[in-house]
Amino acid sequence: MAGGHKYLIEDYLGKRARVYGGERAVLVGIIPLGSAEEEWETFDELRALAYTAGVLVVGHLTQRRSRPDPATFIGRGKAEELRDLAAALGADTAIFNDQLSPDQARNLEEITGLKIIDRSQLILDIFAQRAGTREAELAVELAQLEYLLPRMRGWGKALTNPGGRIGTMGPGETKMEIERRKVKRRIQAIRRALKEADRVREIRRKRRKSSHLPQVAIVGYTNSGKSTLFRRLTGEDVLVEDKLFATLDTKVRKVALEAGHFVLLSDTVGFIRKLPHQLIPAFRATMESAREADLLLNVLDASSPRVMEHFRAVGRILAEEVFSPGEPRPPVLHVLNKVDLVRDSRQEGLLEELKLELGNYVEVSAKHGWGMDELKRAIIEALGDRWVDLKALVPYEKSGVLGVLGKLGRLEVIGNGERGIVVRLVVPSSELPRLKGIPGLVLMEA
Ligand SMILES: Nc1nc2c(ncn2[C@@H]2O[C@H](COP(=O)(O)OP(=O)(O)OP(=O)(O)O)[C@@H](O)[C@H]2O)c(=O)[nH]1
Ligand SMILES: [Mg+2]
């Protein structure tokens, strides 16, 4: 990651508010009054996030209340309880299940002496740990700096003047202002660099479009099995991990669903509930292949007791964050994955309920390769009019054309007529104008 950025974050948040892995953490959350939610449900996803970030969870603490305390999120007494619990468990960090305001984080840090992390920050840090391309690094750095900026007032006590009073500008404050300006300049520089990356992406996008192949994007909740499915369909060795956000950028490959039915398939970054809003621009860029797609495959983890919430979260993120209002949206084919893990009747009941809402779905196990033929057929059907199936006559003196046709899609020789070779063709509909332009070729209905 860029040196300047690290320097800034270490200076101001340092050990306080970054996850490096190796921390020992207590998870802290509020359960709304009257909610039937159980403790494990409050923390299952946060626990997975902590695990992904390399943090050891040593305990948890919940409080039932109607809304967060504006000063300390949980009540002050509860914060003191957190301090004692952490001391007893040897924890150095508290991870909150929701976004904290800069004031809440500062107050909690003062009361407990712990490093205070919230859900947004944990996700940002995971993205930072995992960013593998220059563009992803910049996008995540931008998100982190935007998160950091409002928190740079009053934090980093070592740099503020302890004698400075309200209304006066102590030397510490001045230094903080200088550093804030540095962060702002860095933000501007990254925005410029990302504009350049946009331009490069635009070139790639045009190339994809000009290939005339239908585009299919695999989307879905994090850890639902998108990369496993991508790997299964393409034979490509992509990273598959039982961690959240294993995939941070988009991969595109050409695959044949059946002879002649080629598509461009893309694997994308996973969705999560309550995505930190600073990450959304980065998300939008990497989700471009979904915006361009002719079909979305929404991969759902059918074995998760949370599958219903995942389905709703994906719907909401697609509607509000990936697509702009009014933007045309491709049809969605839902893929119920990990069916090999569905055993108990409670989960089966849940799935029955979900299927009623899904409409168009296929059940598969990407890991075991179950349901792949059915899935391919469903994709072809959903893309229906993207291919045409026709007969053509290739005059004997133009038999060189056969080579060209073979490259466009599926070519099958049916027989030899008086004037030429009769073939059956399955090609992307977008290739029709090109076919019509081939001299001597006679097109007929299938
Ligand atoms: N049992 C079972 N496990 C699966 C199946 N598909 C995926 N998995 C496992 O689920 C975990 C996540 O798989 P990935 O393919 O990395 O999921 P992803 O959706 O790409 O995840 P992110 O990129 O992190 O959003 C891995 O441990 C996979 O082995 C399946 O059909 N059955
Ligand atoms: Mg993945």
Side-chain angles (χ1 to χ4, degrees):
M1 182 137 306
H5 153 58
K6 225 177 206 156
Y7 159 79
L8 287 167
I9 293 201
E10 311 267 303
D11 257 13
Y12 295 111
L13 302 179
K15 289 217 170 85
R16 297 162 195 260
R18 283 241 24 212
V19 164
Y20 299 93
E23 287 89 350
R24 291 169 61 87
V26 176
L27 306 182
V28 187
I30 286 177
I31 303 182
L33 280 181
S35 146
E37 190 168 302
E38 290 172 41
E39 273 186 11
W40 75 266
E41 288 175 325
T42 309
F43 292 125
D44 61 347
E45 189 165 272
L46 195 63
R47 205 178 285 279
L49 285 166
Y51 167 73
T52 299
V55 174
L56 183 68
V57 173
V58 294
H60 66 258
L61 190 73
T62 53
Q63 183 172 44
R64 285 195 179 266
R65 55 187 301 146
S66 51
R67 63 194 139 84
D69 184 302
T72 49
F73 190 72
I74 48 176
R76 198 184 167 92
K78 201 72 179 177
E80 284 162 2
E81 200 181 308
L82 169 62
R83 176 193 59 206
D84 299 340
L85 177 69
L89 296 170
D92 49 19
T93 302
I95 303 180
F96 285 74
N97 195 19
D98 225 313
Q99 181 142 1
L100 298 172
S101 72
D103 282 346
Q104 286 169 334
R106 190 173 58 246
N107 293 333
L108 282 164
E109 187 194 283
E110 261 160 32
I111 297 168
T112 64
L114 296 168
K115 168 152 94 180
I116 303 294
I117 303 285
D118 67 16
R119 185 189 151 89
S120 293
Q121 221 171 327
L122 188 58
I123 294 172
L124 284 169
D125 284 353
I126 291 170
F127 271 69
Q129 285 175 8
R130 311 205 125 213
T133 63
R134 179 77 187 132
E135 189 183 353
E137 278 179 5
L138 286 173
V140 175
E141 180 184 347
L142 181 62
Q144 282 184 309
L145 291 175
E146 283 174 341
Y147 180 92
L148 170 66
L149 198 57
R151 288 168 171 77
M152 280 178 71
R153 249 183 254 284
W155 277 40
K157 247 184 288 174
L159 286 162
T160 51
N161 178 9
R165 251 165 246 109
I166 296 167
T168 65
M169 187 76 148
E173 284 296 328
T174 312
K175 179 139 200 275
M176 183 62 89
E177 281 313 311
I178 292 169
E179 298 301 329
R180 279 175 59 87
R181 267 201 297 282
K182 268 196 211 160
V183 169
K184 284 183 186 161
R185 272 203 298 274
R186 178 75 191 140
I187 287 176
Q188 293 310 322
I190 296 174
R191 291 221 171 101
R192 276 195 301 276
L194 286 174
K195 275 231 172 72
E196 173 58 20
D198 274 351
R199 205 181 55 79
V200 174
R201 202 152 8 80
E202 177 66 17
I203 294 170
R204 251 185 280 147
R205 191 181 69 86
K206 286 207 174 113
R207 199 178 306 147
R208 281 204 301 273
K209 269 264 179 264
S210 70
S211 78
H212 290 307
L213 293 177
Q215 299 183 33
V216 178
I218 301 178
V219 298
Y221 211 75
T222 181
N223 208 46
S224 60
K226 299 176 295 298
S227 298
T228 309
L229 183 66
F230 183 81
R231 176 143 93 170
R232 177 63 65 185
L233 291 172
T234 60
E236 190 82 13
D237 198 11
V238 292
L239 176 69
V240 168
E241 252 191 311
D242 197 11
K243 288 189 173 177
L244 309 187
F245 305 115
T247 308
L248 269 196
D249 47 9
T250 303
K251 268 216 164 50
V252 186
R253 288 290 174 277
K254 182 176 169 181
V255 250
L257 298 172
E258 259 180 25
H261 293 84
F262 284 102
V263 297
L264 282 183
L265 187 71
S266 53
D267 184 18
T268 64
V269 56
F271 297 159
I272 193 158
R273 283 180 301 153
K274 299 192 224 163
L275 189 72
H277 68 264
Q278 293 89 349
L279 266 177
I280 289 171
F283 224 69
R284 264 183 78 84
T286 54
M287 289 311 293
E288 189 173 70
S289 65
R291 295 219 301 284
E292 297 246 301
D294 300 292
L295 177 69
L296 299 179
L297 298 185
N298 173 24
V299 180
L300 291 154
D301 177 351
S303 72
S304 166
R306 298 277 200 152
V307 64
M308 211 58 141
E309 282 157 86
H310 295 172
F311 168 64
R312 297 209 200 297
V314 168
R316 207 186 41 71
I317 292 168
L318 283 174
E320 293 171 12
E321 281 147 25
V322 176
F323 292 94
S324 316
E327 192 178 357
R329 292 177 51 178
V332 181
L333 172 62
H334 300 283
V335 182
L336 285 171
N337 186 35
K338 307 199 193 182
V339 291
D340 58 297
L341 295 180
V342 179
R343 286 188 201 98
D344 63 290
S345 54
R346 187 158 167 235
Q347 189 65 17
E348 280 165 7
L350 195 60
L351 290 176
E352 287 315 311
E353 215 178 294
L354 175 63
K355 285 174 191 172
L356 292 176
E357 291 193 43
L358 292 184
N360 203 7
Y361 69 88
V362 182
E363 292 176 276
V364 307
S365 167
K367 187 172 178 176
H368 297 284
W370 302 349
M372 289 302 122
D373 289 342
E374 206 188 334
L375 173 62
K376 287 177 184 173
R377 270 198 300 278
I379 297 172
I380 291 173
E381 195 169 308
L383 288 169
D385 54 1
R386 302 282 162 174
W387 288 280
V388 283
D389 189 337
L390 23 92
K391 271 204 252 173
L393 179 76
V394 183
Y396 288 120
E397 68 275 15
K398 299 268 184 194
S399 56
V401 165
L402 288 175
V404 178
L405 297 179
K407 286 211 186 82
L408 292 180
R410 172 173 167 189
L411 173 71
E412 198 185 313
V413 174
I414 301 178
N416 294 308
E418 239 171 68
R419 290 167 36 226
I421 304 162
V422 182
V423 296
R424 184 174 158 215
L425 280 172
V426 180
V427 294
S429 329
S430 51
E431 296 287 5
L432 261 183
R434 198 145 122 199
L435 283 181
K436 286 181 180 150
I438 297 178
L441 184 71
V442 185
L443 298 179
M444 306 173 277
E445 292 296 304

mmCIF file of all heavy atoms in Angstrom, residues 406-433:
data_model
loop_
_atom_site.group_PDB
_atom_site.id
_atom_site.type_symbol
_atom_site.label_atom_id
_atom_site.label_comp_id
_atom_site.label_asym_id
_atom_site.label_seq_id
_atom_site.Cartn_x
_atom_site.Cartn_y
_atom_site.Cartn_z
ATOM 1 N N GLY A 406 -16.953 -20.708 -38.595
ATOM 2 C CA GLY A 406 -16.564 -21.552 -37.467
ATOM 3 C C GLY A 406 -16.106 -20.734 -36.280
ATOM 4 O O GLY A 406 -16.304 -21.119 -35.127
ATOM 5 N N LYS A 407 -15.521 -19.580 -36.546
ATOM 6 C CA LYS A 407 -15.026 -18.735 -35.450
ATOM 7 C C LYS A 407 -16.152 -17.957 -34.777
ATOM 8 O O LYS A 407 -16.042 -17.541 -33.645
ATOM 9 C CB LYS A 407 -13.988 -17.751 -35.990
ATOM 10 C CG LYS A 407 -12.671 -18.427 -36.309
ATOM 11 C CD LYS A 407 -11.481 -17.477 -36.104
ATOM 12 C CE LYS A 407 -10.190 -18.112 -36.574
ATOM 13 N NZ LYS A 407 -9.993 -18.000 -38.037
ATOM 14 N N LEU A 408 -17.252 -17.724 -35.522
ATOM 15 C CA LEU A 408 -18.335 -16.902 -34.975
ATOM 16 C C LEU A 408 -19.197 -17.668 -33.985
ATOM 17 O O LEU A 408 -19.836 -17.078 -33.112
ATOM 18 C CB LEU A 408 -19.228 -16.379 -36.107
ATOM 19 C CG LEU A 408 -18.590 -15.368 -37.040
ATOM 20 C CD1 LEU A 408 -19.588 -14.940 -38.103
ATOM 21 C CD2 LEU A 408 -18.109 -14.156 -36.250
ATOM 22 N N GLY A 409 -19.274 -18.958 -34.139
ATOM 23 C CA GLY A 409 -20.141 -19.730 -33.252
ATOM 24 C C GLY A 409 -20.095 -21.187 -33.629
ATOM 25 O O GLY A 409 -19.056 -21.708 -34.039
ATOM 26 N N ARG A 410 -21.259 -21.829 -33.485
ATOM 27 C CA ARG A 410 -21.294 -23.254 -33.777
ATOM 28 C C ARG A 410 -21.623 -23.490 -35.247
ATOM 29 O O ARG A 410 -22.523 -22.865 -35.787
ATOM 30 C CB ARG A 410 -22.360 -23.881 -32.903
ATOM 31 C CG ARG A 410 -22.649 -25.316 -33.237
ATOM 32 C CD ARG A 410 -23.584 -25.848 -32.201
ATOM 33 N NE ARG A 410 -24.154 -27.116 -32.603
ATOM 34 C CZ ARG A 410 -25.136 -27.675 -31.925
ATOM 35 N NH1 ARG A 410 -25.649 -27.055 -30.872
ATOM 36 N NH2 ARG A 410 -25.603 -28.831 -32.317
ATOM 37 N N LEU A 411 -20.879 -24.377 -35.844
ATOM 38 C CA LEU A 411 -21.043 -24.649 -37.275
ATOM 39 C C LEU A 411 -21.177 -26.149 -37.464
ATOM 40 O O LEU A 411 -20.391 -26.924 -36.942
ATOM 41 C CB LEU A 411 -19.803 -24.143 -38.024
ATOM 42 C CG LEU A 411 -19.711 -24.493 -39.496
ATOM 43 C CD1 LEU A 411 -20.720 -23.705 -40.311
ATOM 44 C CD2 LEU A 411 -18.304 -24.190 -40.003
ATOM 45 N N GLU A 412 -22.218 -26.531 -38.194
ATOM 46 C CA GLU A 412 -22.456 -27.958 -38.399
ATOM 47 C C GLU A 412 -22.806 -28.144 -39.878
ATOM 48 O O GLU A 412 -23.696 -27.463 -40.380
ATOM 49 C CB GLU A 412 -23.656 -28.325 -37.532
ATOM 50 C CG GLU A 412 -23.856 -29.780 -37.228
ATOM 51 C CD GLU A 412 -25.177 -29.945 -36.460
ATOM 52 O OE1 GLU A 412 -25.421 -29.178 -35.503
ATOM 53 O OE2 GLU A 412 -25.969 -30.796 -36.868
ATOM 54 N N VAL A 413 -22.092 -29.037 -40.536
ATOM 55 C CA VAL A 413 -22.386 -29.254 -41.951
ATOM 56 C C VAL A 413 -23.551 -30.220 -42.053
ATOM 57 O O VAL A 413 -23.533 -31.302 -41.469
ATOM 58 C CB VAL A 413 -21.151 -29.821 -42.689
ATOM 59 C CG1 VAL A 413 -21.515 -30.177 -44.140
ATOM 60 C CG2 VAL A 413 -20.015 -28.803 -42.664
ATOM 61 N N ILE A 414 -24.608 -29.802 -42.774
ATOM 62 C CA ILE A 414 -25.785 -30.657 -42.895
ATOM 63 C C ILE A 414 -25.719 -31.496 -44.171
ATOM 64 O O ILE A 414 -26.124 -32.648 -44.196
ATOM 65 C CB ILE A 414 -27.082 -29.814 -42.893
ATOM 66 C CG1 ILE A 414 -27.169 -29.009 -41.589
ATOM 67 C CG2 ILE A 414 -28.309 -30.711 -43.029
ATOM 68 C CD1 ILE A 414 -28.372 -28.116 -41.513
ATOM 69 N N GLY A 415 -25.217 -30.905 -45.219
ATOM 70 C CA GLY A 415 -25.145 -31.695 -46.446
ATOM 71 C C GLY A 415 -24.555 -30.895 -47.597
ATOM 72 O O GLY A 415 -24.223 -29.707 -47.433
ATOM 73 N N ASN A 416 -24.431 -31.547 -48.739
ATOM 74 C CA ASN A 416 -23.895 -30.880 -49.911
ATOM 75 C C ASN A 416 -24.993 -30.739 -50.953
ATOM 76 O O ASN A 416 -25.602 -31.728 -51.367
ATOM 77 C CB ASN A 416 -22.734 -31.688 -50.503
ATOM 78 C CG ASN A 416 -21.560 -31.706 -49.542
ATOM 79 O OD1 ASN A 416 -21.116 -30.662 -49.072
ATOM 80 N ND2 ASN A 416 -21.088 -32.891 -49.214
ATOM 81 N N GLY A 417 -25.285 -29.518 -51.322
ATOM 82 C CA GLY A 417 -26.310 -29.278 -52.336
ATOM 83 C C GLY A 417 -25.662 -29.124 -53.703
ATOM 84 O O GLY A 417 -24.454 -29.354 -53.854
ATOM 85 N N GLU A 418 -26.497 -28.713 -54.653
ATOM 86 C CA GLU A 418 -25.996 -28.537 -56.006
ATOM 87 C C GLU A 418 -25.009 -27.388 -56.093
ATOM 88 O O GLU A 418 -23.979 -27.469 -56.729
ATOM 89 C CB GLU A 418 -27.170 -28.229 -56.936
ATOM 90 C CG GLU A 418 -27.334 -29.235 -58.057
ATOM 91 C CD GLU A 418 -28.633 -28.988 -58.775
ATOM 92 O OE1 GLU A 418 -28.717 -27.923 -59.430
ATOM 93 O OE2 GLU A 418 -29.559 -29.810 -58.632
ATOM 94 N N ARG A 419 -25.396 -26.297 -55.400
ATOM 95 C CA ARG A 419 -24.606 -25.082 -55.550
ATOM 96 C C ARG A 419 -23.583 -24.882 -54.440
ATOM 97 O O ARG A 419 -22.713 -24.039 -54.534
ATOM 98 C CB ARG A 419 -25.538 -23.870 -55.620
ATOM 99 C CG ARG A 419 -26.333 -23.851 -56.938
ATOM 100 C CD ARG A 419 -27.478 -22.861 -56.885
ATOM 101 N NE ARG A 419 -27.167 -21.662 -56.137
ATOM 102 C CZ ARG A 419 -27.991 -21.122 -55.237
ATOM 103 N NH1 ARG A 419 -29.158 -21.668 -54.985
ATOM 104 N NH2 ARG A 419 -27.636 -20.030 -54.601
ATOM 105 N N GLY A 420 -23.775 -25.652 -53.353
ATOM 106 C CA GLY A 420 -22.819 -25.436 -52.280
ATOM 107 C C GLY A 420 -23.077 -26.320 -51.072
ATOM 108 O O GLY A 420 -23.896 -27.238 -51.118
ATOM 109 N N ILE A 421 -22.377 -25.963 -49.970
ATOM 110 C CA ILE A 421 -22.480 -26.739 -48.734
ATOM 111 C C ILE A 421 -23.571 -26.119 -47.861
ATOM 112 O O ILE A 421 -23.603 -24.895 -47.672
ATOM 113 C CB ILE A 421 -21.131 -26.713 -47.970
ATOM 114 C CG1 ILE A 421 -20.020 -27.224 -48.901
ATOM 115 C CG2 ILE A 421 -21.189 -27.546 -46.709
ATOM 116 C CD1 ILE A 421 -18.628 -26.853 -48.431
ATOM 117 N N VAL A 422 -24.478 -26.964 -47.333
ATOM 118 C CA VAL A 422 -25.530 -26.461 -46.453
ATOM 119 C C VAL A 422 -25.076 -26.657 -45.008
ATOM 120 O O VAL A 422 -24.669 -27.746 -44.606
ATOM 121 C CB VAL A 422 -26.861 -27.205 -46.686
ATOM 122 C CG1 VAL A 422 -27.949 -26.619 -45.792
ATOM 123 C CG2 VAL A 422 -27.256 -27.121 -48.157
ATOM 124 N N VAL A 423 -25.119 -25.566 -44.237
ATOM 125 C CA VAL A 423 -24.651 -25.663 -42.845
ATOM 126 C C VAL A 423 -25.713 -25.135 -41.895
ATOM 127 O O VAL A 423 -26.583 -24.354 -42.274
ATOM 128 C CB VAL A 423 -23.350 -24.851 -42.616
ATOM 129 C CG1 VAL A 423 -22.207 -25.409 -43.425
ATOM 130 C CG2 VAL A 423 -23.570 -23.371 -42.900
ATOM 131 N N ARG A 424 -25.617 -25.583 -40.632
ATOM 132 C CA ARG A 424 -26.446 -25.011 -39.585
ATOM 133 C C ARG A 424 -25.517 -24.162 -38.709
ATOM 134 O O ARG A 424 -24.411 -24.580 -38.366
ATOM 135 C CB ARG A 424 -27.070 -26.120 -38.756
ATOM 136 C CG ARG A 424 -28.005 -25.574 -37.739
ATOM 137 C CD ARG A 424 -28.742 -26.676 -37.004
ATOM 138 N NE ARG A 424 -29.185 -26.092 -35.754
ATOM 139 C CZ ARG A 424 -29.240 -26.749 -34.621
ATOM 140 N NH1 ARG A 424 -28.906 -28.025 -34.551
ATOM 141 N NH2 ARG A 424 -29.644 -26.131 -33.520
ATOM 142 N N LEU A 425 -25.994 -22.982 -38.322
ATOM 143 C CA LEU A 425 -25.169 -22.036 -37.559
ATOM 144 C C LEU A 425 -25.877 -21.602 -36.297
ATOM 145 O O LEU A 425 -27.073 -21.309 -36.332
ATOM 146 C CB LEU A 425 -24.973 -20.762 -38.384
ATOM 147 C CG LEU A 425 -23.943 -20.732 -39.483
ATOM 148 C CD1 LEU A 425 -24.096 -19.444 -40.268
ATOM 149 C CD2 LEU A 425 -22.543 -20.817 -38.877
ATOM 150 N N VAL A 426 -25.151 -21.576 -35.179
ATOM 151 C CA VAL A 426 -25.667 -20.918 -33.978
ATOM 152 C C VAL A 426 -24.672 -19.816 -33.641
ATOM 153 O O VAL A 426 -23.515 -20.096 -33.321
ATOM 154 C CB VAL A 426 -25.791 -21.886 -32.782
ATOM 155 C CG1 VAL A 426 -26.327 -21.159 -31.561
ATOM 156 C CG2 VAL A 426 -26.689 -23.061 -33.136
ATOM 157 N N VAL A 427 -25.121 -18.567 -33.769
ATOM 158 C CA VAL A 427 -24.195 -17.440 -33.542
ATOM 159 C C VAL A 427 -24.900 -16.361 -32.723
ATOM 160 O O VAL A 427 -26.131 -16.321 -32.679
ATOM 161 C CB VAL A 427 -23.729 -16.813 -34.880
ATOM 162 C CG1 VAL A 427 -22.891 -17.781 -35.681
ATOM 163 C CG2 VAL A 427 -24.903 -16.321 -35.680
ATOM 164 N N PRO A 428 -24.133 -15.488 -32.052
ATOM 165 C CA PRO A 428 -24.760 -14.368 -31.352
ATOM 166 C C PRO A 428 -25.558 -13.527 -32.343
ATOM 167 O O PRO A 428 -25.089 -13.283 -33.453
ATOM 168 C CB PRO A 428 -23.575 -13.569 -30.806
ATOM 169 C CG PRO A 428 -22.427 -14.523 -30.779
ATOM 170 C CD PRO A 428 -22.667 -15.497 -31.891
ATOM 171 N N SER A 429 -26.768 -13.090 -31.945
ATOM 172 C CA SER A 429 -27.612 -12.315 -32.867
ATOM 173 C C SER A 429 -26.882 -11.082 -33.367
ATOM 174 O O SER A 429 -27.104 -10.625 -34.489
ATOM 175 C CB SER A 429 -28.885 -11.835 -32.181
ATOM 176 O OG SER A 429 -29.297 -12.728 -31.209
ATOM 177 N N SER A 430 -26.002 -10.555 -32.508
ATOM 178 C CA SER A 430 -25.293 -9.336 -32.879
ATOM 179 C C SER A 430 -24.372 -9.554 -34.077
ATOM 180 O O SER A 430 -23.894 -8.611 -34.683
ATOM 181 C CB SER A 430 -24.497 -8.836 -31.679
ATOM 182 O OG SER A 430 -23.729 -9.898 -31.161
ATOM 183 N N GLU A 431 -24.136 -10.827 -34.424
ATOM 184 C CA GLU A 431 -23.261 -11.112 -35.561
ATOM 185 C C GLU A 431 -24.027 -11.145 -36.888
ATOM 186 O O GLU A 431 -23.422 -11.256 -37.950
ATOM 187 C CB GLU A 431 -22.555 -12.459 -35.381
ATOM 188 C CG GLU A 431 -21.604 -12.524 -34.197
ATOM 189 C CD GLU A 431 -20.315 -11.750 -34.420
ATOM 190 O OE1 GLU A 431 -20.181 -11.080 -35.468
ATOM 191 O OE2 GLU A 431 -19.438 -11.802 -33.549
ATOM 192 N N LEU A 432 -25.357 -11.067 -36.791
ATOM 193 C CA LEU A 432 -26.166 -11.170 -38.016
ATOM 194 C C LEU A 432 -25.763 -10.175 -39.110
ATOM 195 O O LEU A 432 -25.592 -10.572 -40.265
ATOM 196 C CB LEU A 432 -27.651 -11.008 -37.690
ATOM 197 C CG LEU A 432 -28.457 -12.309 -37.566
ATOM 198 C CD1 LEU A 432 -29.920 -11.995 -37.312
ATOM 199 C CD2 LEU A 432 -28.319 -13.168 -38.825
ATOM 200 N N PRO A 433 -25.594 -8.891 -38.763
ATOM 201 C CA PRO A 433 -25.202 -7.939 -39.811
ATOM 202 C C PRO A 433 -23.918 -8.370 -40.508
ATOM 203 O O PRO A 433 -23.790 -8.261 -41.736
ATOM 204 C CB PRO A 433 -24.981 -6.631 -39.048
ATOM 205 C CG PRO A 433 -25.706 -6.783 -37.762
ATOM 206 C CD PRO A 433 -25.763 -8.242 -37.451
#
